[in-house]
Amino acid sequence: MLAPCIKLTKYVQAGRGKYKDIPTLTDDERSEDAPTGDGCPHCRVQIDCCTFDRVLVFIASLLFPDEQTFVLDPSEVNAMADAAEALGLMPLADLCTSQTSSFDSRVRKDEHIRLAEVMKRNDENDELLIILDGMVLDITRWIDEHPGGPSIIPTQALNIDCTVFFEMYHVSRQSFLYLKSFYIGELAPEDLTKLRNGAENIEASEGFLQSLRSYTTEWRVQIRETQGDKVHKSL
């Protein structure tokens, strides 16, 4: 359930992969009411219990939208925004700043993003933009927390269609939870046709694409061409 909390990834994954040596709290360092000898990693987060409970309700609403609703009270915006920052919980951060910005201001809704811009920003602006099934995702602020390490994406996935790599490395569909937080717009259709595939002679499976699109179609932008045609996603 804590998977969307990017900065807690190292604790959620403690003992595995790049996080196998992550230091966690000893039994003596844990709170008095914390269980001991349970075989689970423990860490200390500077968030009060009431706020953290609200964070858990928010995450539940992300995972089970048909069963759990979440309404952000104006009086708790500052505390929840601080918690979102401490946890790296980007969807909550977006919600807290939605009064003035977040998704609406981040996503380019009136025009497509050209491949040349993506390449320039990757090469010159110290940014990391990737292209996934026609979506342009800005993962700059997240790359250091990537469970696979910060080097594999810049090495393999920049300036190409990385959809097949995404399928290869992400067996769990839990990774879809992050996509909206990184989404900044749609790649221009004319660039989609000349975009190099990430893996030679290997395409993302139809089942994976259907699953990906069923999750993202609700919030992906639709941009009207001058002829009035809608362009939504790569096919």
Side-chain angles (χ1 to χ4, degrees):
M1 186 171 177
L2 291 175
C5 299
I6 294 174
K7 292 183 180 179
L8 288 187
T9 298
K10 53 182 172 291
Y11 299 108
V12 175
Q13 300 291 335
R16 290 176 284 185
K18 64 177 282 190
Y19 303 113
K20 60 183 176 65
D21 298 322
I22 194 72
T24 54
L25 299 181
T26 65
D27 287 353
D28 293 338
E29 294 172 324
R30 300 180 186 183
S31 302
E32 293 182 0
D33 58 348
T36 59
D38 57 355
C40 297
H42 288 240
C43 65
R44 182 174 288 110
V45 181
Q46 299 302 319
I47 303 172
D48 67 85
C49 293
C50 291
T51 300
F52 196 77
D53 283 346
R54 291 289 289 151
V55 169
L56 293 178
V57 172
F58 173 77
I59 295 175
S61 72
L62 291 180
L63 300 177
F64 311 105
D66 295 333
E67 304 173 19
Q68 180 72 56
T69 58
F70 179 85
V71 178
L72 182 65
D73 189 283
S75 65
E76 64 180 353
V77 170
N78 289 338
M80 293 295 279
D82 289 343
E85 174 65 23
L87 297 170
L89 184 52
M90 295 179 188
L92 179 57
D94 281 347
L95 177 61
C96 291
T97 58
S98 63
Q99 316 298 333
T100 56
S101 57
S102 78
F103 187 86
D104 286 338
S105 64
R106 183 182 73 246
V107 176
R108 193 174 303 178
K109 296 184 176 181
D110 57 349
E111 63 179 354
H112 292 97
I113 299 173
R114 297 304 305 264
L115 179 59
E117 178 187 343
V118 173
M119 297 176 68
K120 181 177 181 180
R121 291 173 64 175
N122 282 335
D123 294 339
E124 300 178 9
N125 293 4
D126 199 26
E127 295 180 82
L128 285 175
L129 307 186
I130 61 174
I131 300 166
L132 176 67
D133 190 37
M135 297 181 289
V136 181
L137 309 175
D138 182 352
I139 61 169
T140 308
R141 57 179 176 169
W142 174 76
I143 188 63
D144 287 339
E145 302 295 339
H146 182 230
S151 62
I152 188 170
I153 292 178
T155 301
Q156 295 188 356
L158 296 190
N159 306 327
I160 61 172
D161 178 0
C162 70
T163 309
V164 65
F165 283 142
F166 194 89
E167 179 181 14
M168 290 168 60
Y169 292 127
H170 301 86
V171 177
S172 170
R173 298 301 184 257
Q174 201 171 41
S175 55
F176 290 174
L177 294 174
Y178 294 100
L179 297 181
K180 186 177 180 180
S181 299
F182 304 143
Y183 180 71
I184 62 172
E186 296 287 326
L187 191 71
E190 55 266 41
D191 289 330
L192 282 172
T193 59
K194 58 185 179 184
L195 194 63
R196 184 171 64 85
N197 191 316
E200 188 175 355
N201 299 323
I202 302 176
E203 301 286 342
S205 69
E206 188 60 32
F208 174 80
L209 291 174
Q210 289 178 0
S211 180
L212 174 66
R213 292 167 183 171
S214 68
Y215 183 83
T216 60
T217 190
E218 181 179 349
W219 42 261
R220 289 182 69 170
V221 297
Q222 295 183 349
I223 300 175
R224 291 185 178 276
E225 297 290 271
T226 54
Q227 308 95 312
D229 295 333
K230 288 185 178 180
V231 177
H232 181 61
K233 53 195 173 187
S234 61
L235 298 173

